[in-house]
Amino acid sequence: MYTVKGKADKNSLLTEHMPLVKRLAHQMKAKLPPSVEVDDLVQAGMMGLLDAINRYEENHGAQFETYAVLRIRGAMLDELRSSDWMPRSTRANMRKVEQAMATLQQQLGRPPSESEVAKSLKLSLPDYQDLLGDSGGHQLVYYEDFHDEDGSDGFLDRYAVDDDDPLKSLLDTDFRQTVIDAIDALPPREKMLMGLYYEEELNLKEIGAVMGVSESRVSQLHTQAVARLRTYLRERSWT
């Protein structure tokens, strides 16, 4: 894998990690609307892999694959953002949901129920659940989260030491533990769902069978859980 000069053989790294790109693309596609093409994600991921190969140095203190995963996923998210796959109206609706959750959390001292969020938004419960269903693919972190609303530098400049090494930056902060704490603060049902989805890697249909609900209901609960996580993280100034 290494040349006589001690440098990583880029072609070998590229060939070896192509399956990783495809696996990450299919994992991400499973969380996105049908309009998103997996081939587009793979193409973007390959660009991320090439970027990782060109930037990686052993003194980064991390295994190459760990570093590459960040670059690959980041490239895929950039592709999703540039193609504007989620309508702005949907993103705006989810911001309203998050704002309602934050207000109710402060008032109640606990995570608000679906009915309470729906009432705060002046929606019927079915209409609120439909809104969640239509917002499938809502992400924990978006590109815009890296900047404050006034356009000034945000997350990265506050918490990243070296923009060329995001892995080291994240590991050197409490971001990972904050996400763990946010998941732990979810209502039991949504906490179980997130565990089945991200740890056990079950798909929505399989999770529905475990929880005794429909696949569409799982999608609604997942979107709501992500909104709760974003609310938790924002209150702690991580997004």
Side-chain angles (χ1 to χ4, degrees), residues 169-184:
S169 301
L170 288 178
L171 292 179
D172 284 348
T173 69
D174 293 330
F175 182 73
R176 183 192 298 270
Q177 185 59 47
T178 303
V179 172
I180 293 173
D181 292 342
I183 293 174
D184 192 55

Side-chain angles (χ1 to χ4, degrees), residues 86-139:
M86 179 175 279
R88 293 190 178 186
S89 60
T90 301
R91 292 280 295 278
N93 285 336
M94 290 312 300
R95 281 195 294 270
K96 292 178 182 178
V97 170
E98 292 164 13
Q99 290 168 358
M101 286 179 170
T103 299
L104 290 169
Q105 176 76 37
Q106 292 178 353
Q107 294 175 348
L108 302 172
R110 58 169 174 78
S113 67
E114 280 185 291
S115 297
E116 289 166 338
V117 177
K119 183 178 180 180
S120 176
L121 294 171
K122 298 180 180 179
L123 295 173
S124 67
L125 181 56
D127 285 345
Y128 171 64
Q129 291 174 340
D130 285 343
L131 183 153
L132 293 175
D134 292 339
S135 302
H138 190 41
Q139 300 290 327

Side-chain angles (χ1 to χ4, degrees), residues 14 18 35 48 70 74 89 105 108 134-135 167 173 193 197 201 217 219 223-225 235:
L14 184 64
M18 285 176 63
S35 59
L70 269 179
S89 60
Q105 176 76 37
L108 302 172
D134 292 339
S135 302
L167 175 63
T173 69
L193 185 158
Y197 196 79
E201 297 187 351
R217 180 58 177 150
S219 178
T223 300
Q224 182 168 253
E235 289 177 348

